[in-house]
DNA sequence: AAAGCCAATGAGACCGGTCTCAATCTAAAA
DNA sequence: TTTTAGATTGAGACCGGTCTCATTGGCTTT
């Protein structure tokens, strides 16, 4: 169409073969790096390819080999530092293993996740890494496995069927921080999460569809109960999806009559907003309020006071998920594996013994 | 091979056609949504497809149509909040326009960038968004354009040839903050950047290969010179690629004899490290040292004092780059466009009038 | 020198879609 | 009722690679 757009039609093996004076099959052998060819012919074909500026068409190659050299990744939100760091781990491993990565955000929405997976399968990715929005709604994931493609789950497990999974020891971590707070005399601890139920009320951990969060809440609940603490279900606050919602929840919580003396934030985005809100309200951390956040985000180290956090091996989470997937892609066919990476309690200065409330 | 792995071979249009009792061409028409078919046949084919759980092969489709429905994105480092946020902008627009995104990190290394682009072209992406590591070494980018594929540049422009570019008004922003500092009485201002030269010494803006940074430095230099300020070339410090290097540079700078009274950090990762270092050394911000950082990262608002920053419209940068690209993909064929988005000076509390040094 | 073996090469099918073109069928127009 | 335009369908080429299989030729073996 456009005469001044150069090389609109791409040069193919057939073109190279013609120029080199060999058959298409032979040229393909040289260009594709398979089979056996004589040095003389190899040189001729290579020269012809260079002269014509031949670029292989990976699509056509995938067509016959059945491998696309691509893995699909579905995460909640690449903007979230948790996922962007995990993504870095994934891409590093993938690149080294010779795979490229297609990224799709699900926005933690199951129907978007389904669409994403459908798209990725249509593009014939060789395998998938997914951070499922809900662990109860996983038929589409089962289909992935059913289609013969390996799947690895990132940060969130499911029980419905066996699949490679990489998670952190969330339950244990939550137990640890809760125990710590209780030891400091806290008797009312709030837990804030982005997860939600239709009526925004927490009843049982079964309501929580995000595996990692559910495990944390289980740890939190059991430790509180062990210590004989209050109406612990009501201390769990859901729906902190965006900062604005978090702020509202935190305000309601901290300005209310029976305010908690400690808050556990389920991720760093929530933790940041709680920090801002408590400062805006005029509550001093840690004197008036103790704060612990999951995820050692960069900001947690530079606030005054710096924030005590549960450091998750986020990069390694992504790295390991990719590693497990690549192993499958290379033929490993054993049963589903679950890798649990250790978290680290990073003690800084945002928690102290509970204040005696009026 | 594995008898209990279901549906190892995928069902094709031919299979569906056979089951529906029509020709392959007709089934393809229904499944592909083109041409005309009778309602009766459409229903039959649709039913057959459902019964067989037909999944289209996007690869095969791309083969003939020549469009892969994919755009390639090459950024320095997805872990960097700047890029992850821009990436979010890109993916949002891409998804809405019906494209998926392949992501490759260049690590700001030109040879990695070249390999990335080669890979993406081999995968027959429909277009590319690149944040070039060096604006002087761009032959591979010219080839992209030469291959007939649209290209959009993110945050960094090049002069070598015309291409759609989205940048922020870095030069103007740098002039503004520099002027601000000078007005406050600062007579020695340091500028820290990750960009580097072989001998780590700055001579002229021409040494800086990263467009956005070069423009900032140009603004910084010209404003300083206008005010008749000192050996301004020596105030530019390069090679702050990783936090450790930044720390060393900052230490050397702040512990030296003739230390600057103000620092401009070229990105938030550098700004964070300068903040940490000055605190470690015992310099009070802003009394002993004024600090301004580019990029309104989340941590800048919660430190004590909060950090004055140049807010870049990062999400919009990505959004716009994707938008320009999609326009080309939809047939727009005008000359290369350069979009300059406005930055915003966010005044917080990390700058004050220059201290009188001993 | 005849037989045997392996490296090197070519011909052509194939992957799973799209698309052109011709054939057939239907219903409106003359 | 015959003509004709338009809708519907099928046959088969094609996209750009890979891969199987058969053929050729050179070299070793006896």
């Amino acid at each position: 169409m456009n005469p001044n757009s150069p090389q609109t039609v791409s040069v193919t093996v057939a073109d190279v073969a013609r120029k080199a004076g060999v058959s298409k099959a032979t040229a393909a052998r040289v260009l594709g790096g398979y089979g056996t060819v004589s040095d003389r012919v190899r040189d001729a074909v290579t020269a012809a390819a260079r002269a014509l500026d031949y670029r292989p068409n990976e699509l056509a190659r995938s067509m016959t080999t059945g491998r696309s050299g691509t893995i699909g990744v579905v995460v909640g939100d690449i903007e979230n530092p948790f996922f962007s760091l995990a993504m870095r781990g994934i891409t590093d491993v993938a690149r080294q293993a010779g795979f490229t990565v297609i990224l799709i955000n699900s926005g933690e929405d199951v129907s978007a996740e389904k669409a994403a997976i459908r798209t990725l399968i249509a593009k014939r990715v060789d395998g998938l890494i997914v951070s499922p929005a809900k662990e109860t709604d996983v038929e589409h994931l089962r289909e992935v496995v059913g289609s013969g493609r390996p799947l690895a789950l990132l940060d969130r497990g499911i029980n419905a069927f066996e699949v490679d999974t990489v998670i952190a020891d969330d339950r244990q971590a939550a137990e640890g921080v809760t125990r710590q707070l209780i030891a400091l005399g806290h008797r009312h601890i709030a837990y804030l999460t982005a997860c939600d139920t239709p009526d925004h009320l927490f009843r049982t951990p079964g309501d929580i569809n995000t595996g990692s969060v559910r495990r944390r809440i289980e740890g939190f609940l059991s430790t509180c109960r062990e210590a004989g603490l209050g109406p612990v279900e009501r201390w769990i606050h859901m729906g902190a999806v965006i900062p604005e919602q978090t702020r509202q929840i935190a305000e309601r919580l901290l300005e209310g009559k029976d305010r908690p003396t400690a808050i556990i934030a389920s991720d760093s985005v929530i933790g940041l907003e709680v920090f801002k809100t408590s400062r805006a309200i005029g509550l001093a951390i840690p004197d008036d309020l103790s704060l612990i956040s999951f995820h050692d985000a960069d900001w947690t180290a530079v606030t005054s006071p710096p924030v005590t956090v549960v450091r998750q091996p986020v990069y390694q989470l992504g790295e390991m998920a990719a590693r497990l997937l690549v192993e499958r892609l290379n033929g490993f066919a054993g049963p589903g594996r679950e890798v649990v990476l250790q978290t680290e309690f990073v003690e800084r200065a945002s928690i102290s013994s509970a204040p005696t409330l009026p």
Side-chain angles (χ1 to χ4, degrees), chain A:
Chain A
M1 314 235 157
N2 193 345
N4 50 13
S5 85
Q7 193 168 311
T8 314
V9 295
S10 49
V11 347
T12 73
V13 277
D15 299 325
V16 175
R18 201 172 312 122
K19 170 128 189 162
V22 299
S23 76
K24 184 180 152 198
T26 301
R29 273 187 268 261
V30 176
L31 268 12
Y34 57 91
T36 80
V37 276
S38 67
D39 291 347
R40 202 175 44 77
V41 168
R42 168 168 289 108
D43 293 345
V45 172
T46 308
R50 193 184 314 280
L52 262 34
D53 190 29
Y54 168 77
R55 308 288 183 100
N57 184 334
E58 202 63 46
L59 251 41
R61 184 171 293 169
S62 305
M63 203 67 229
T64 41
T65 59
R67 309 190 88 208
S68 64
T70 307
I71 71 181
V73 176
V74 184
V75 297
D77 174 13
I78 190 61
E79 180 187 340
N80 185 317
F82 178 90
F83 285 123
S84 71
L85 184 49
M87 186 67 184
R88 181 62 204 258
I90 293 173
T91 53
D92 284 357
V93 172
R95 192 228 302 252
Q96 211 189 343
F99 291 91
T100 56
V101 172
I102 298 185
L103 166 71
I104 306 188
N105 295 105
S106 71
E108 301 293 1
D109 173 55
V110 181
S111 66
E113 182 177 305
K114 283 182 183 166
I117 285 175
R118 188 159 287 260
T119 301
L120 291 170
I121 289 186
K123 299 242 186 235
R124 292 300 189 262
V125 294
D126 292 332
L128 289 96
I129 295 178
V130 180
S131 193
K134 294 197 177 164
E135 58 176 1
T136 47
D137 199 346
V138 294
E139 274 317 300
H140 54 300
L141 295 177
R142 192 195 296 272
E143 280 175 37
V144 170
V145 180
S147 80
R149 256 166 273 267
L151 168 69
L153 262 32
L154 178 70
D155 190 47
R156 303 168 190 183
I158 56 173
N159 297 318
F161 54 93
E162 245 190 29
V163 59
D164 287 344
T165 308
V166 183
I167 55 172
D169 62 344
D170 296 287
R171 191 192 164 112
Q172 216 175 308
E175 286 173 2
V177 301
T178 308
R179 199 168 295 129
Q180 187 90 214
L181 289 173
I182 293 175
L184 285 167
H186 293 275
R187 292 291 170 269
H188 181 177
I189 305 167
Y191 188 102
L192 265 66
T193 173
C195 293
D196 212 350
T197 52
D199 62 357
H200 313 301
L201 284 179
F202 176 86
R203 287 184 195 77
T204 79
D207 294 345
I208 305 290
N209 290 314
T210 308
S212 52
V213 176
R214 187 176 44 64
R215 292 193 301 278
R216 289 176 202 166
I217 289 182
E218 283 170 358
F220 170 71
L221 289 177
S222 72
T223 308
C224 285
R225 289 215 188 89
E226 245 170 49
L229 260 48
V232 80
E233 280 79 7
R234 270 190 273 146
W235 295 352
I236 293 176
H237 301 271
M238 318 211 283
V241 181
I242 58 168
E244 173 59 19
Q245 295 169 318
T246 308
R247 191 178 57 73
Q248 288 176 10
I249 294 171
E251 277 177 359
R252 186 158 29 77
L253 208 56
L254 296 175
E255 289 174 336
K257 268 265 162 355
D258 180 35
R259 73 169 179 80
T261 60
I263 289 183
I264 301 175
S266 200
D267 70 48
S268 68
V269 182
I270 295 175
L272 178 63
E273 202 57 28
V274 170
F275 188 93
K276 284 181 181 173
T277 305
S278 78
R279 175 188 280 183
I281 288 177
L283 286 177
I285 293 179
D287 294 339
D288 301 325
L289 177 73
S290 287
L291 173 64
I292 291 182
S293 179
F294 274 82
H295 188 194
D296 183 25
D298 51 17
W299 65 268
T300 58
V302 289
T303 50
S304 303
V307 176
T308 297
V309 296
V310 174
R311 176 179 293 157
Q312 298 162 288
V314 183
Y315 179 88
Q316 288 82 351
L317 237 39
E319 209 181 12
M320 182 61 76
R323 219 183 284 287
L324 294 183
L325 190 70
V326 167
E327 276 177 26
R328 298 264 172 200
L329 258 15
N330 288 337
F332 176 79
R337 297 161 288 177
E338 184 182 70
V339 176
V340 180
L341 298 181
Q342 297 304 303
T343 57
E344 184 189 345
F345 184 67
V346 180
E347 194 143 14
R348 293 205 266 248
S350 66
I351 63 173
S352 71
S353 48
T356 44
L357 290 178

